[in-house]
Amino acid sequence: MDDVTDKVAKMYAEYPYPSPSVDAGKEKLTELANLFKFLALETKYDYAQKSVLDAGVGTGQRLAAAAESLSNTRFTGIDMVQSSLEVARQVSDQAGLSNVDFHCANILEDMTNLGAFDIVLCMGVLHHLSKPHLGLKNLHAVLKDDGFVLLYLYGLRGAQERMRRKAVISLLRGGRQDDLAIGIRLAKDLEYDDFEYGWNINIDQATNDSFIVDAFMNVNERLFDAETIHELAVEAGFHAYVTYGITTGTQGLLFDTRLESKRSFISQMSLAKRLKADLPKDLYGQLSLRDRYRLVDLLYDPNGYTVIMLTEGAREKLSRSARIGANVVEV
Protein backbone atom coordinates (compact mmCIF):
# COMPACT_ATOMS: atom_id res chain seq x y z
CA MET A 1 0.00 0.00 0.00
CA ASP A 2 1.50 3.34 -1.06
CA ASP A 3 1.71 6.36 1.24
CA VAL A 4 -1.31 8.18 -0.25
CA THR A 5 -3.48 5.06 -0.04
CA ASP A 6 -2.40 4.51 3.55
CA LYS A 7 -3.39 8.08 4.51
CA VAL A 8 -6.79 7.76 2.81
CA ALA A 9 -7.42 4.45 4.58
CA LYS A 10 -6.56 5.94 7.98
CA MET A 11 -8.88 8.90 7.37
CA TYR A 12 -11.84 6.64 6.55
CA ALA A 13 -10.99 4.34 9.46
CA GLU A 14 -11.38 7.33 11.80
CA TYR A 15 -14.47 8.72 10.03
CA PRO A 16 -16.19 5.91 8.10
CA TYR A 17 -18.23 7.03 5.10
CA PRO A 18 -21.09 7.63 4.57
CA SER A 19 -21.81 6.98 8.26
CA PRO A 20 -20.40 5.05 11.18
CA SER A 21 -23.98 4.40 12.37
CA VAL A 22 -25.80 1.23 11.39
CA ASP A 23 -29.09 3.09 11.91
CA ALA A 24 -28.24 6.09 9.73
CA GLY A 25 -31.62 6.43 8.10
CA LYS A 26 -30.99 4.10 5.17
CA GLU A 27 -34.22 5.27 3.55
CA LYS A 28 -32.41 8.55 2.85
CA LEU A 29 -29.39 6.85 1.28
CA THR A 30 -31.18 5.45 -1.77
CA GLU A 31 -29.11 7.14 -4.50
CA LEU A 32 -27.67 3.83 -5.69
CA ALA A 33 -31.02 2.04 -5.66
CA ASN A 34 -32.52 4.92 -7.62
CA LEU A 35 -29.69 4.83 -10.16
CA PHE A 36 -30.35 1.15 -10.81
CA LYS A 37 -34.07 1.84 -11.19
CA PHE A 38 -33.62 4.73 -13.62
CA LEU A 39 -31.04 2.82 -15.66
CA ALA A 40 -33.44 -0.11 -16.05
CA LEU A 41 -36.29 2.18 -17.08
CA GLU A 42 -34.21 3.68 -19.89
CA THR A 43 -32.32 0.61 -21.11
CA LYS A 44 -34.66 -2.27 -20.12
CA TYR A 45 -31.67 -3.84 -18.36
CA ASP A 46 -32.64 -6.97 -16.43
CA TYR A 47 -30.74 -7.32 -13.15
CA ALA A 48 -32.06 -10.80 -12.35
CA GLN A 49 -29.23 -13.27 -11.74
CA LYS A 50 -26.64 -10.59 -12.48
CA SER A 51 -23.52 -10.02 -10.34
CA VAL A 52 -22.54 -6.56 -9.08
CA LEU A 53 -19.25 -5.50 -7.49
CA ASP A 54 -19.24 -2.34 -5.38
CA ALA A 55 -15.59 -1.27 -5.32
CA GLY A 56 -15.19 1.04 -2.33
CA VAL A 57 -18.41 0.08 -0.56
CA GLY A 58 -17.56 2.03 2.61
CA THR A 59 -20.11 1.42 5.36
CA GLY A 60 -22.57 -0.17 2.95
CA GLN A 61 -25.78 1.80 3.54
CA ARG A 62 -26.25 2.65 -0.14
CA LEU A 63 -25.41 -0.89 -1.28
CA ALA A 64 -27.83 -2.37 1.26
CA ALA A 65 -30.70 -0.26 -0.09
CA ALA A 66 -29.88 -1.40 -3.63
CA ALA A 67 -29.57 -5.06 -2.64
CA GLU A 68 -32.89 -4.90 -0.80
CA SER A 69 -34.64 -3.61 -3.92
CA LEU A 70 -32.96 -6.20 -6.21
CA SER A 71 -33.24 -9.44 -4.29
CA ASN A 72 -32.44 -11.60 -7.36
CA THR A 73 -29.11 -9.84 -7.94
CA ARG A 74 -25.87 -10.88 -6.26
CA PHE A 75 -23.84 -8.04 -4.71
CA THR A 76 -20.23 -8.07 -3.54
CA GLY A 77 -18.82 -5.12 -1.62
CA ILE A 78 -15.10 -4.51 -1.22
CA ASP A 79 -13.18 -1.91 0.75
CA MET A 80 -9.67 -1.57 2.15
CA VAL A 81 -10.89 -0.28 5.54
CA GLN A 82 -11.84 -3.10 7.90
CA SER A 83 -13.81 -0.86 10.29
CA SER A 84 -16.02 0.30 7.41
CA LEU A 85 -16.61 -3.31 6.35
CA GLU A 86 -17.64 -4.19 9.89
CA VAL A 87 -20.36 -1.54 9.74
CA ALA A 88 -21.37 -2.71 6.25
CA ARG A 89 -21.79 -6.29 7.47
CA GLN A 90 -23.93 -5.11 10.40
CA VAL A 91 -26.08 -3.02 8.05
CA SER A 92 -26.55 -6.03 5.77
CA ASP A 93 -27.35 -8.38 8.66
CA GLN A 94 -29.81 -5.93 10.18
CA ALA A 95 -31.63 -5.68 6.84
CA GLY A 96 -31.74 -9.48 6.60
CA LEU A 97 -29.96 -9.52 3.24
CA SER A 98 -28.82 -12.87 1.83
CA ASN A 99 -27.60 -11.57 -1.55
CA VAL A 100 -24.60 -9.55 -0.30
CA ASP A 101 -21.09 -10.48 0.75
CA PHE A 102 -18.04 -8.39 1.65
CA HIS A 103 -14.28 -8.67 1.21
CA CYS A 104 -11.28 -6.58 2.13
CA ALA A 105 -9.49 -5.53 -1.06
CA ASN A 106 -7.48 -2.67 -2.54
CA ILE A 107 -8.65 -1.42 -5.96
CA LEU A 108 -5.03 -0.65 -6.89
CA GLU A 109 -4.18 -4.36 -6.65
CA ASP A 110 -5.24 -7.37 -8.71
CA MET A 111 -8.83 -8.40 -7.91
CA THR A 112 -9.41 -11.18 -10.42
CA ASN A 113 -9.69 -13.70 -7.57
CA LEU A 114 -13.12 -12.17 -6.86
CA GLY A 115 -14.50 -13.50 -10.15
CA ALA A 116 -16.17 -11.76 -13.11
CA PHE A 117 -19.03 -9.31 -12.77
CA ASP A 118 -21.81 -7.94 -14.97
CA ILE A 119 -21.65 -4.52 -13.32
CA VAL A 120 -18.90 -2.82 -11.33
CA LEU A 121 -19.68 0.24 -9.21
CA CYS A 122 -17.05 2.72 -8.12
CA MET A 123 -19.06 5.66 -6.85
CA GLY A 124 -17.08 8.53 -5.38
CA VAL A 125 -13.97 6.41 -4.92
CA LEU A 126 -11.74 6.46 -8.01
CA HIS A 127 -10.88 10.15 -7.60
CA HIS A 128 -9.33 9.40 -4.18
CA LEU A 129 -6.91 6.81 -5.54
CA SER A 130 -3.25 7.65 -5.97
CA LYS A 131 -3.46 6.09 -9.48
CA PRO A 132 -7.06 6.39 -10.79
CA HIS A 133 -6.15 4.97 -14.22
CA LEU A 134 -4.66 1.83 -12.67
CA GLY A 135 -7.70 1.44 -10.42
CA LEU A 136 -10.08 1.63 -13.37
CA LYS A 137 -7.92 -0.79 -15.37
CA ASN A 138 -8.18 -3.28 -12.48
CA LEU A 139 -11.96 -2.84 -12.43
CA HIS A 140 -12.07 -3.46 -16.19
CA ALA A 141 -10.21 -6.72 -15.59
CA VAL A 142 -13.07 -8.15 -13.47
CA LEU A 143 -15.83 -7.32 -15.98
CA LYS A 144 -17.60 -9.88 -18.11
CA ASP A 145 -17.36 -9.39 -21.89
CA ASP A 146 -20.62 -7.42 -21.95
CA GLY A 147 -20.18 -5.75 -18.57
CA PHE A 148 -19.90 -2.09 -17.66
CA VAL A 149 -18.55 0.13 -14.89
CA LEU A 150 -20.57 2.87 -13.19
CA LEU A 151 -18.42 5.71 -11.83
CA TYR A 152 -19.09 8.87 -9.87
CA LEU A 153 -16.25 11.37 -10.30
CA TYR A 154 -15.71 14.84 -8.84
CA GLY A 155 -15.98 17.63 -11.41
CA LEU A 156 -13.20 20.17 -11.89
CA ARG A 157 -15.15 23.23 -12.99
CA GLY A 158 -17.89 23.09 -10.37
CA ALA A 159 -15.69 22.28 -7.39
CA GLN A 160 -14.02 25.67 -7.02
CA GLU A 161 -16.07 26.89 -4.07
CA ARG A 162 -15.63 23.62 -2.18
CA MET A 163 -11.90 23.70 -2.88
CA ARG A 164 -11.74 27.30 -1.64
CA ARG A 165 -13.41 26.27 1.61
CA LYS A 166 -11.14 23.25 1.88
CA ALA A 167 -8.11 25.56 1.55
CA VAL A 168 -9.45 27.90 4.25
CA ILE A 169 -9.86 25.01 6.67
CA SER A 170 -6.42 23.65 5.80
CA LEU A 171 -4.70 27.00 6.42
CA LEU A 172 -6.45 27.50 9.76
CA ARG A 173 -5.50 23.99 10.85
CA GLY A 174 -1.85 24.86 10.25
CA GLY A 175 0.35 22.07 11.57
CA ARG A 176 -2.66 20.13 12.84
CA GLN A 177 -3.56 18.50 9.51
CA ASP A 178 -3.91 15.09 11.16
CA ASP A 179 -6.45 16.46 13.66
CA LEU A 180 -9.70 15.85 11.80
CA ALA A 181 -11.81 16.83 14.80
CA ILE A 182 -10.56 20.43 14.74
CA GLY A 183 -11.28 20.53 11.01
CA ILE A 184 -14.87 19.45 11.65
CA ARG A 185 -15.26 22.15 14.29
CA LEU A 186 -13.84 24.77 11.90
CA ALA A 187 -16.23 23.75 9.11
CA LYS A 188 -19.20 24.15 11.44
CA ASP A 189 -17.97 27.45 12.93
CA LEU A 190 -17.42 28.82 9.41
CA GLU A 191 -20.88 27.56 8.37
CA TYR A 192 -19.37 25.42 5.63
CA ASP A 193 -21.76 22.53 6.18
CA ASP A 194 -24.25 23.63 3.48
CA PHE A 195 -23.04 20.94 1.14
CA GLU A 196 -23.04 20.39 -2.60
CA TYR A 197 -24.94 17.54 -4.19
CA GLY A 198 -23.89 14.20 -2.68
CA TRP A 199 -23.21 15.52 0.82
CA ASN A 200 -26.42 17.53 1.32
CA ILE A 201 -28.17 14.93 3.46
CA ASN A 202 -28.45 15.64 7.18
CA ILE A 203 -29.14 12.43 9.05
CA ASP A 204 -27.35 12.44 12.39
CA GLN A 205 -24.32 14.13 13.91
CA ALA A 206 -21.90 11.27 13.24
CA THR A 207 -22.97 11.09 9.60
CA ASN A 208 -22.69 14.85 9.21
CA ASP A 209 -19.15 14.75 10.62
CA SER A 210 -18.21 12.03 8.12
CA PHE A 211 -19.56 14.18 5.29
CA ILE A 212 -17.51 17.17 6.47
CA VAL A 213 -14.32 15.11 6.52
CA ASP A 214 -15.02 13.65 3.09
CA ALA A 215 -15.82 17.05 1.55
CA PHE A 216 -13.17 19.26 3.14
CA MET A 217 -10.37 17.16 4.61
CA ASN A 218 -9.82 14.33 2.19
CA VAL A 219 -6.09 13.82 1.94
CA ASN A 220 -6.19 12.99 -1.76
CA GLU A 221 -8.66 13.86 -4.49
CA ARG A 222 -8.46 14.41 -8.22
CA LEU A 223 -10.98 16.54 -10.11
CA PHE A 224 -12.12 15.53 -13.60
CA ASP A 225 -13.54 17.19 -16.70
CA ALA A 226 -14.62 16.00 -20.16
CA GLU A 227 -11.01 15.70 -21.36
CA THR A 228 -9.62 13.78 -18.40
CA ILE A 229 -12.62 11.43 -18.32
CA HIS A 230 -11.88 10.60 -21.96
CA GLU A 231 -8.22 9.96 -21.07
CA LEU A 232 -9.33 7.74 -18.19
CA ALA A 233 -11.41 5.58 -20.54
CA VAL A 234 -8.58 5.29 -23.06
CA GLU A 235 -5.90 4.37 -20.53
CA ALA A 236 -8.12 1.77 -18.82
CA GLY A 237 -8.79 0.09 -22.17
CA PHE A 238 -12.54 0.63 -22.51
CA HIS A 239 -14.32 0.45 -25.85
CA ALA A 240 -16.56 3.46 -25.12
CA TYR A 241 -18.06 5.60 -22.39
CA VAL A 242 -21.04 7.85 -21.80
CA THR A 243 -21.84 10.47 -19.19
CA TYR A 244 -25.09 9.33 -17.62
CA GLY A 245 -25.67 12.40 -15.45
CA ILE A 246 -24.04 15.49 -13.96
CA THR A 247 -24.44 17.32 -10.69
CA THR A 248 -24.45 21.10 -10.48
CA GLY A 249 -24.63 22.74 -7.09
CA THR A 250 -27.24 20.72 -5.21
CA GLN A 251 -29.03 19.46 -8.33
CA GLY A 252 -28.65 16.25 -10.30
CA LEU A 253 -29.40 16.24 -14.05
CA LEU A 254 -29.55 13.51 -16.68
CA PHE A 255 -26.97 14.18 -19.38
CA ASP A 256 -27.93 14.81 -23.02
CA THR A 257 -25.95 16.59 -25.72
CA ARG A 258 -28.91 16.64 -28.13
CA LEU A 259 -30.68 19.98 -28.60
CA GLU A 260 -34.03 18.32 -29.11
CA SER A 261 -34.87 15.28 -27.05
CA LYS A 262 -37.82 13.73 -25.33
CA ARG A 263 -38.15 15.02 -21.79
CA SER A 264 -37.24 12.53 -19.12
CA PHE A 265 -39.08 11.26 -16.08
CA ILE A 266 -36.59 13.12 -13.87
CA SER A 267 -34.56 16.33 -14.22
CA GLN A 268 -32.58 16.50 -17.45
CA MET A 269 -30.22 18.95 -19.12
CA SER A 270 -31.79 21.24 -21.71
CA LEU A 271 -29.18 22.70 -24.04
CA ALA A 272 -31.95 24.30 -26.12
CA LYS A 273 -32.63 26.61 -23.16
CA ARG A 274 -28.95 27.58 -22.96
CA LEU A 275 -28.48 28.04 -26.71
CA LYS A 276 -31.69 29.87 -27.59
CA ALA A 277 -30.75 31.81 -30.73
CA ASP A 278 -30.41 30.28 -34.18
CA LEU A 279 -26.69 30.99 -34.66
CA PRO A 280 -25.38 29.18 -31.54
CA LYS A 281 -27.79 26.33 -32.25
CA ASP A 282 -26.58 26.02 -35.85
CA LEU A 283 -22.92 26.12 -34.85
CA TYR A 284 -23.50 23.68 -32.01
CA GLY A 285 -24.98 21.25 -34.52
CA GLN A 286 -21.65 21.24 -36.38
CA LEU A 287 -19.62 20.21 -33.32
CA SER A 288 -18.25 16.73 -32.79
CA LEU A 289 -19.65 14.76 -29.87
CA ARG A 290 -16.45 15.28 -27.86
CA ASP A 291 -16.67 19.05 -28.42
CA ARG A 292 -20.27 18.95 -27.26
CA TYR A 293 -19.06 17.30 -24.07
CA ARG A 294 -16.52 20.11 -23.67
CA LEU A 295 -19.22 22.73 -24.16
CA VAL A 296 -21.45 21.11 -21.54
CA ASP A 297 -18.55 21.55 -19.09
CA LEU A 298 -18.44 25.28 -19.87
CA LEU A 299 -22.20 25.81 -19.76
CA TYR A 300 -23.03 23.77 -16.66
CA ASP A 301 -19.87 23.76 -14.47
CA PRO A 302 -20.46 20.20 -13.18
CA ASN A 303 -19.23 19.37 -9.68
CA GLY A 304 -19.71 15.69 -10.41
CA TYR A 305 -20.22 13.17 -13.21
CA THR A 306 -21.91 9.79 -13.26
CA VAL A 307 -20.13 7.95 -16.08
CA ILE A 308 -20.69 4.53 -17.64
CA MET A 309 -17.54 2.84 -18.95
CA LEU A 310 -18.51 0.32 -21.62
CA THR A 311 -17.04 -2.88 -22.96
CA GLU A 312 -17.72 -3.55 -26.63
CA GLY A 313 -20.42 -6.06 -25.66
CA ALA A 314 -22.17 -3.53 -23.44
CA ARG A 315 -22.02 -0.88 -26.16
CA GLU A 316 -23.72 -3.15 -28.68
CA LYS A 317 -26.70 -3.63 -26.34
CA LEU A 318 -27.46 0.10 -26.18
CA SER A 319 -29.94 1.62 -28.61
CA ARG A 320 -28.20 4.33 -30.61
CA SER A 321 -31.36 6.44 -30.80
CA ALA A 322 -32.15 6.55 -27.08
CA ARG A 323 -30.63 9.16 -24.74
CA ILE A 324 -27.81 7.04 -23.33
CA GLY A 325 -26.83 5.40 -26.62
CA ALA A 326 -26.94 8.69 -28.53
CA ASN A 327 -24.33 10.21 -26.19
CA VAL A 328 -21.80 7.35 -26.26
CA VAL A 329 -18.24 8.33 -27.13
CA GLU A 330 -16.30 5.45 -28.71
CA VAL A 331 -12.58 5.48 -28.00
Side-chain angles (χ1 to χ4, degrees), residues 64-77:
E68 196 166 10
S69 66
L70 296 170
S71 58
N72 292 323
T73 304
R74 186 71 203 174
F75 291 86
T76 298

Side-chain angles (χ1 to χ4, degrees), residues 106-131:
N106 183 348
I107 300 170
L108 292 176
E109 298 173 355
D110 181 82
M111 298 177 289
T112 53
N113 64 304
L114 296 172
F117 297 86
D118 297 287
I119 303 171
V120 173
L121 309 169
C122 194
M123 308 297 287
V125 175
L126 202 72
H127 46 234
H128 294 313
L129 301 183
S130 58
K131 299 175 183 177

Side-chain angles (χ1 to χ4, degrees), residues 24-91:
K26 68 178 182 180
E27 71 280 355
K28 295 183 180 180
L29 295 175
T30 57
E31 301 99 320
L32 189 54
N34 290 338
L35 176 58
F36 279 126
K37 178 174 69 175
F38 297 146
L39 192 60
L41 285 171
E42 286 198 86
T43 65
K44 311 302 180 186
Y45 190 87
D46 184 2
Y47 297 103
Q49 308 309 313
K50 296 294 195 300
S51 56
V52 178
L53 173 68
D54 190 349
V57 67
T59 52
Q61 282 95 350
R62 292 184 172 101
L63 182 65
E68 196 166 10
S69 66
L70 296 170
S71 58
N72 292 323
T73 304
R74 186 71 203 174
F75 291 86
T76 298
I78 62 170
D79 206 279
M80 62 179 179
V81 181
Q82 286 283 7
S83 56
S84 293
L85 287 173
E86 290 172 10
V87 176
R89 292 187 179 101
Q90 293 176 52
V91 169

Side-chain angles (χ1 to χ4, degrees), residues 8-16 20 81 83 178-181 210 213:
V8 172
K10 287 177 179 177
M11 184 196 75
Y12 282 123
E14 186 174 353
Y15 286 92
V81 181
S83 56
D178 292 335
D179 189 343
L180 300 179
S210 294
V213 170

Side-chain angles (χ1 to χ4, degrees), residues 112-249:
T112 53
N113 64 304
L114 296 172
F117 297 86
D118 297 287
I119 303 171
V120 173
L121 309 169
C122 194
M123 308 297 287
V125 175
L126 202 72
H127 46 234
H128 294 313
L129 301 183
S130 58
K131 299 175 183 177
H133 299 84
L134 174 60
L136 186 56
K137 189 173 183 178
N138 288 340
L139 298 180
H140 191 183
V142 298
L143 277 179
K144 294 182 180 179
D145 289 343
D146 59 351
F148 58 91
V149 174
L150 278 166
L151 301 174
Y152 183 77
L153 301 169
Y154 290 163
L156 172 64
R157 294 190 60 83
Q160 299 312 304
E161 175 58 20
R162 180 173 66 84
M163 299 308 290
R164 183 190 70 82
R165 294 181 178 192
K166 183 176 181 179
V168 169
I169 292 171
S170 178
L171 282 169
L172 288 173
R173 287 162 75 197
R176 297 176 289 275
Q177 298 299 311
D178 292 335
D179 189 343
L180 300 179
I182 196 171
I184 292 171
R185 182 175 173 183
L186 280 168
K188 292 176 180 177
D189 288 347
L190 293 165
E191 298 182 350
Y192 284 177
D193 48 356
D194 53 334
F195 297 118
E196 299 172 351
Y197 190 93
W199 293 285
N200 58 341
I201 304 171
N202 290 317
I203 299 173
D204 55 32
Q205 189 60 56
T207 302
N208 196 53
D209 289 351
S210 294
F211 285 179
I212 288 173
V213 170
D214 191 59
F216 299 125
M217 283 167 281
N218 211 299
V219 297
N220 183 62
E221 60 181 301
R222 178 173 175 182
L223 306 176
F224 286 84
D225 60 11
E227 276 303 291
T228 49
I229 289 172
H230 183 87
E231 292 169 6
L232 192 63
V234 171
E235 293 191 34
F238 280 90
H239 175 75
Y241 67 92
V242 59
T243 295
Y244 179 82
I246 59 173
T247 58
T248 61

